[in-house]
Amino acid sequence: MQIKKISIPIFRGSLTLIKDKDFKKVNKMYNCNVPETFGAVTLENHDEGFEYVVAFVDSNVGLLAHEAVHVCNYVFDNIGIQLDLKNDETQAYFIGWIVDEMDKFLNEIKK
């Protein structure tokens, strides 16, 4: 299991990225029951503040974008930002940052 915890700039909280062969350890660590058919999952953990966890078994660009939207929506909901379809630059920038961090993490593991 590979884990990386990153402080989220500007917004509060942290992003924890996990890569493993299955979700058994994630299920135990976060007291959840992620189905084995999932390629990735995003969870909120408020035990110690605002932690957003993305765990990967598989990864591709579409999966990273999918999970990044979940993280963004959790963060925005927790800090009271409402999505605005006509003024979405903050959302687009934040999702880009999340995808970049996921990509860096997964590429570090491949090396």
Side-chain angles (χ1 to χ4, degrees):
M1 173 184 270
Q2 302 283 339
I3 300 175
K4 182 177 183 180
K5 190 170 187 171
I6 306 156
S7 180
I8 297 174
I10 303 172
F11 309 116
R12 68 177 145 179
S14 62
L15 175 63
T16 300
L17 304 173
I18 300 172
K19 177 76 166 93
D20 207 354
K21 65 184 182 329
D22 58 42
F23 293 113
K24 290 176 184 163
K25 291 178 186 170
V26 169
N27 286 335
K28 188 173 181 175
M29 286 170 60
Y30 293 99
N31 193 28
C32 58
N33 189 22
V34 180
E36 290 301 319
T37 57
F38 283 22
V41 67
T42 298
L43 310 165
E44 286 184 281
N45 179 29
H46 297 294
D47 291 344
E48 296 180 25
F50 291 91
E51 178 187 22
Y52 307 94
V53 179
V54 182
F56 297 95
V57 171
D58 296 318
S59 61
N60 59 54
V61 174
L63 201 55
L64 271 62
H66 177 105
E67 299 306 326
V69 169
H70 290 312
V71 172
C72 181
N73 289 341
Y74 284 146
V75 170
F76 282 15
D77 186 47
N78 284 320
I79 62 176
I81 293 178
Q82 293 197 353
L83 299 177
D84 182 347
L85 299 178
K86 298 202 184 306
N87 183 12
D88 60 359
E89 196 62 30
T90 302
Q91 177 190 20
Y93 177 82
F94 189 42
I95 288 174
W97 177 84
I98 296 165
V99 171
D100 282 345
E101 291 301 321
M102 291 176 181
D103 186 55
K104 284 190 271 187
F105 169 70
L106 293 168
N107 282 327
E108 288 170 4
I109 293 170
K110 289 179 186 176
K111 292 181 181 179

